[in-house]
Amino acid sequence: MKAKAFAARLALALVAAGNAASVACAADFDWKKFQGKTVTFLANNNPVAQALLAHKADFEKLTGITLKVDGYQEQQMRQRLVTVMNARSDEVDVFMSLPSREGPQFAAAGWYADLTPMTKGAVAGDYDYAGLSQALLKAGTFDGKLTSMPMNIEGPILYYRTDILKKCGVEPPATIKDIEPAAKKLKACDANITPFVSRGLKPAIAYTFSNMLHNIGGNYIANGKSNLCSAKGKEALATYSGLLRDYGPPGVVNYSFQQISALYRSGRAAMSFESSNELRTVMDGGERLKDTALVPFPAGDAGQVPTAIGWGMAVSAHSKQPEAAWYFVQWATSPEIQKRMALQGIAPPRSAVANDPAYRKWIEEEPVRKQWQAALDVLAAKGSSEVGYPIVANPESREFIGQAVQDLILKQKTVDQACADADKGLDALIAQK
Amino acid sequence: MSEAAATFTEDRQRLELAALSAPAVIFTVAMIAFPVVYTVWLGLHSFSSTGKQSFVGLANYSRLLADTEFWHGLWVTIALYVLSLVLQLVFGVWLALVLFHAKRLPGIVRSLFISPFMMPPVVAGMMWLVILDPSLGAANYILQSLGLPPSEWLASPVWVIPTVALIDTWQWTPYVALIVLGGLQSLPPSVYEAAQIDGASAFKTFQRITLPLLLPTIVTATILRSVDLLRFFDIIYITTQGGPGNASNTLNIYGFRVGFEFFNIGYASALMLTLTAIVFGAVLAFNRLRGAVAW
């Protein structure tokens, strides 16, 4: 009994000491510690980075650190990163990364600095590490190393036109099986409207297709082999490609987010399965503000397993000033900055920010924003970050998925041929170390 | 001055000249040679997705021979090259003749004719992507207004190569026309006067005099366009990224994706060196042809 009491007291003392140490650490935290240094940030010139960099001057004022921004479009940013990292150069201190895409690859190459000790070391008192989406933190952790801090949360959701559906007597689809009959009815009702649109461009397909596959109950790998030719895999391939082929716009094989958002915003599509990030683009001009509703993608046999990913901020393993770089990462992913970004339409990866009064006021201003947040809540709660195969060669795996879907849209192969060809190539990728 | 002294002065001058020009020569050779040598070195290595490298000798090249995507890319590259080149030469010569004979054409109209090739290819690609969008683009709107069926343009595996060739032709025909126009302006007027005296028709004059005399200029334009067309990249990447499927996946697009999207730099280098060899081969062949048609 005495031993138990002693152990309990010891445990309490250790916890108290730990807490005191972390409080002391937060209290000692000095934003000006790296004053005069220059941190280089390799950014993807997308809405997330644009929203963040609108506050660049505040970071420089707060820390005295000069922030040098090296901004590129997404693919060009990766090219630059590959070149810098292969040369083991310290030119880049912080870079944006999509853990769901390049995470396993970059982690295996040793390009990410381990952020785990940083999150336990020099951390500002109001950082609230625990408040960040645990799912996204997990998605950015490889072999026990935290490789990036989440900047936002996003995923594909279904945008649909309430007025057109009402006019055509169509109920919003509640399940995946409801989409095809709804699209058929819409096509018969108004020939000028594209009933359903989603991604058909080869490298972009995996983003939306993965949601359908997971909702149907399929998975990419089973017993170490590619699983597209399983019954669920084939069902997902047939359903996704069938919807785009029979009810999508002409030329859908070249459609990615730009074309989809343009089509929907122009009022020529009834249902659009596209990224939550596109809300601002779709609502630009205000024409779709009052006639659009948003929901997570309808459930399949496995319910709703939405795709939920987020851009992360990583510190380069070759940076010569990882501590200063961490200051920037910490500032950029802090509750205050994420709140500011949220007010610019970047979904926050923190529930506390999502509940912030100023953010709630912004959300309450329009019904469509409320639905957007509700859909994001589902993404945060149930989301899977698996976009394409969870392997080192993830970007290449997306090619095979895209090729199989395109072959079916273009009627160049049967489902059995398309999935078998894809599985063959994907098995070789899975076997790669 | 004795002969020996003069020789000594000459040698010294030569040495001074060599010493003064050496930095520029070394810099130029390094700038040209280093990337080539480095690419050859990369092509002899294999890089895993995680950046680990190993020497593989010529394995990347033997892999290339067995790679169906390489052969498909080669076919697409050649198809696009031949189609674009023929269109650009035909329309380029025609445009040059129009500009040559229309002496009173206002300067602004002349500038408009030649403006497309001054447009950055990325801008041109984006512009045509919007125009050719099957749902929202102006091209199908015009076709349908004329009672013609709409096309899928860049989204059709059948039409994508002709469509990309047309975009490139729209952009680069004026460039060919400018080269040919320069050739036309340098033709001797005496042969035309002789043809006129002999009563030759306009077509016969073009067929028997203008075209043969222009051949060296046309071959020069062919060489310049061949180099660009065989390594055609920007407009394809902007408009189709090699799709739909792999219908417009040229060797250059394929090599880029292998290198920068799948991070297999070794194999991508082998692909690019092969493409470089093809470009050099084409240039050498046309250079010989230029020698044969010179007058």
Side-chain angles (χ1 to χ4, degrees):
Chain A
M1 191 70 193
K2 273 184 179 176
K4 271 190 180 174
F6 175 73
R9 276 190 207 127
L10 182 66
L12 273 172
L14 285 172
V15 169
N19 282 344
S22 91
V23 169
C25 174
D28 292 344
F29 185 81
D30 176 15
W31 277 113
K32 295 277 185 196
K33 188 176 175 187
F34 297 103
Q35 189 162 12
K37 297 240 180 204
T38 298
V39 167
T40 304
F41 174 39
L42 183 63
N44 170 13
N45 190 20
N46 67 0
V48 180
Q50 286 164 6
L52 171 68
L53 292 171
H55 311 290
K56 174 178 177 269
D58 293 342
F59 170 72
E60 293 182 324
K61 194 175 164 193
L62 176 72
T63 60
I65 294 172
T66 302
L67 183 65
K68 187 179 158 207
V69 179
D70 215 2
Y72 298 89
Q73 293 304 312
E74 185 172 337
Q75 196 48 43
Q76 283 67 30
M77 178 196 75
R78 288 202 183 91
Q79 286 161 30
R80 168 103 177 103
L81 189 67
V82 170
T83 311
V84 167
M85 289 303 188
N86 274 327
R88 298 178 177 277
S89 164
D90 62 351
E91 275 178 61
V92 170
D93 297 304
V94 178
F95 59 92
M96 285 173 70
S97 180
L98 261 184
S100 58
R101 186 183 190 277
E102 62 253 10
Q105 189 173 10
F106 288 8
W111 292 355
Y112 294 120
D114 184 5
L115 301 182
T116 317
M118 299 185 196
T119 58
K120 291 175 182 160
V123 182
D126 58 356
Y127 184 63
D128 186 20
Y129 173 76
L132 283 159
S133 159
Q134 295 304 303
L136 290 179
L137 286 171
K138 194 178 157 201
T141 303
F142 299 94
D143 295 329
K145 290 180 182 169
L146 178 62
T147 60
S148 64
M149 303 304 289
M151 301 174 80
N152 73 318
I153 184 165
E154 63 179 86
I157 53 177
L158 188 71
Y159 299 70
Y160 64 88
R161 291 280 299 277
T162 49
D163 57 336
I164 297 176
L165 265 65
K166 194 176 169 192
K167 183 184 84 177
C168 297
V170 175
E171 285 296 315
T175 68
I176 290 177
K177 289 193 167 68
D178 296 336
I179 300 176
E180 203 265 339
K184 194 172 183 180
K185 224 169 162 182
L186 286 164
K187 193 175 182 178
C189 167
D190 187 343
N192 292 320
I193 288 288
T194 298
F196 179 85
V197 60
S198 191
R199 296 187 179 193
L201 186 70
K202 191 163 69 169
I205 285 170
Y207 180 70
T208 38
F209 174 77
S210 298
N211 198 156
M212 181 174 280
L213 176 76
H214 292 138
N215 278 16
I216 283 175
N219 46 19
Y220 282 122
I221 298 179
N223 303 319
K225 293 276 180 190
S226 177
N227 204 29
L228 275 185
C229 275
S230 62
K232 296 286 185 188
K234 287 200 278 191
E235 186 185 337
L237 282 172
T239 309
Y240 189 89
S241 60
L243 283 171
L244 290 184
R245 184 181 57 238
D246 300 332
Y247 304 104
V252 71
V253 287
N254 276 346
Y255 269 53
S256 187
F257 64 94
Q258 300 100 328
Q259 292 79 14
I260 294 168
S261 293
L263 189 76
Y264 187 83
R265 191 179 58 191
S266 70
R268 298 183 64 174
M271 292 186 281
S272 162
F273 182 34
E274 190 35 74
S275 170
S276 56
N277 266 0
E278 287 298 293
L279 179 77
R280 199 161 57 160
T281 313
V282 166
M283 295 303 152
D284 197 19
E287 285 173 69
R288 299 282 76 80
L289 208 53
K290 305 294 179 196
D291 60 20
T292 291
L294 306 173
V295 286
F297 195 61
D301 290 347
Q304 280 183 319
V305 191
T307 295
I309 61 167
W311 279 93
M313 290 191 87
V315 173
S316 162
H318 304 307
S319 169
K320 290 213 170 116
Q321 43 183 5
E323 294 88 1
W326 162 246
Y327 267 49
F328 173 54
V329 172
Q330 185 182 167
W331 171 83
T333 56
S334 65
E336 172 59 23
I337 296 303
Q338 294 200 324
K339 186 180 100 181
R340 290 196 219 169
M341 288 167 67
L343 294 172
Q344 292 167 269
I346 303 300
R350 290 174 178 273
S351 53
V353 172
N355 295 324
D356 180 85
Y359 181 64
R360 292 308 314 176
K361 185 171 171 280
W362 181 80
I363 288 290
E364 300 291 335
E365 280 170 9
E366 294 292 346
V368 77
R369 287 185 192 156
K370 274 170 81 173
Q371 292 165 355
W372 179 69
Q373 185 57 50
L376 286 167
D377 289 343
V378 176
L379 261 61
K382 300 181 178 177
S384 156
S385 62
E386 195 178 87
V387 178
Y389 282 64
I391 55 174
V392 168
N394 173 282
E396 207 167 347
S397 79
R398 297 182 184 202
E399 287 289 306
F400 287 100
I401 298 166
Q403 185 70 55
V405 171
Q406 282 203 340
D407 285 341
L408 294 171
I409 294 174
L410 297 168
K411 289 186 176 175
Q412 290 181 331
K413 287 178 187 168
T414 64
V415 176
D416 287 328
Q417 286 169 331
C419 75
D421 288 351
D423 274 350
K424 193 177 159 195
L426 286 157
D427 281 339
L429 285 188
I430 294 167
Q432 281 178 12
K433 297 294 174 196
Chain B
M1 193 189 288
S2 70
E3 200 176 313
T7 313
F8 176 75
T9 311
E10 257 179 38
D11 286 350
R12 195 179 155 176
Q13 276 178 339
R14 267 195 213 127
L15 265 175
E16 277 174 2
L17 277 175
L20 285 171
S21 55
V25 172
I26 292 168
F27 179 76
T28 310
V29 169
M31 289 302 286
I32 295 168
F34 175 74
V36 176
V37 173
Y38 187 54
T39 309
V40 171
W41 181 85
L42 288 173
L44 299 173
H45 289 75
S46 172
F47 294 79
S48 71
S49 303
T50 56
K52 291 186 180 71
Q53 69 178 64
S54 53
F55 179 77
V56 293
L58 296 175
N60 282 328
Y61 295 91
S62 53
R63 174 184 165 183
L64 185 141
L65 294 174
D67 182 359
T68 51
E69 199 60 48
F70 164 76
W71 291 109
H72 174 77
L74 185 62
W75 184 88
V76 173
T77 304
I78 292 170
L80 202 50
Y81 166 69
V82 172
L83 191 56
S84 305
L85 186 67
V86 169
L87 288 172
Q88 286 167 34
L89 289 178
V90 170
F91 286 114
V93 171
W94 172 79
L95 183 60
L97 287 168
V98 169
L99 293 173
F100 183 69
H101 290 294
K103 306 277 186 204
R104 277 184 284 175
L105 211 58
I108 183 96
V109 179
R110 284 173 180 271
S111 302
L112 268 179
F113 270 128
I114 61 165
S115 61
F117 87 88
M118 289 187 278
M119 193 180 277
V122 174
V123 177
M126 292 301 292
M127 186 185 82
W128 281 103
L129 193 61
V130 173
I131 292 171
L132 298 173
D133 183 287
S135 298
L136 302 170
N140 272 356
Y141 178 78
I142 294 167
L143 282 183
Q144 284 171 310
S145 306
L146 298 170
L148 296 167
S151 169
E152 292 204 345
W153 303 108
L154 295 160
S156 157
V158 176
W159 286 105
V160 65
I161 290 179
T163 307
V164 172
L166 279 177
I167 297 174
D168 196 64
T169 301
W170 168 84
Q171 180 155 42
W172 291 101
T173 293
Y175 177 71
V176 175
L178 275 189
I179 296 171
V180 176
L181 187 61
L184 277 172
Q185 284 165 342
S186 67
L187 295 186
S190 54
V191 284
Y192 287 96
E193 287 162 12
Q196 208 174 2
I197 291 163
D198 291 344
S201 67
F203 178 73
K204 280 278 176 211
T205 308
F206 174 74
Q207 188 191 16
R208 296 287 172 87
I209 298 173
T210 309
L211 204 53
L213 291 178
L214 268 183
L215 265 182
T217 313
I218 292 172
V219 174
T220 303
T222 303
I223 291 171
L224 292 171
R225 287 309 300 138
S226 295
V227 173
D228 273 350
L229 279 166
L230 286 168
R231 49 193 185 95
F232 194 10
F233 179 82
D234 27 35
I235 284 176
I236 303 175
Y237 193 73
I238 293 292
T239 53
T240 68
Q241 295 190 14
N246 56 2
S248 61
N249 205 21
T250 59
L251 277 185
N252 215 0
I253 295 279
Y254 182 46
F256 171 83
R257 306 198 75 187
V258 168
F260 289 105
E261 290 182 19
F262 311 146
F263 308 115
N264 193 342
I265 299 290
Y267 187 49
S269 299
L271 282 166
M272 289 302 95
L273 281 171
T274 308
L275 179 61
T276 308
I278 293 169
V279 174
F280 266 101
V283 171
L284 284 176
F286 282 117
N287 243 343
R288 288 200 162 194
L289 182 65
R290 190 167 59 168
V293 296
W295 49 271

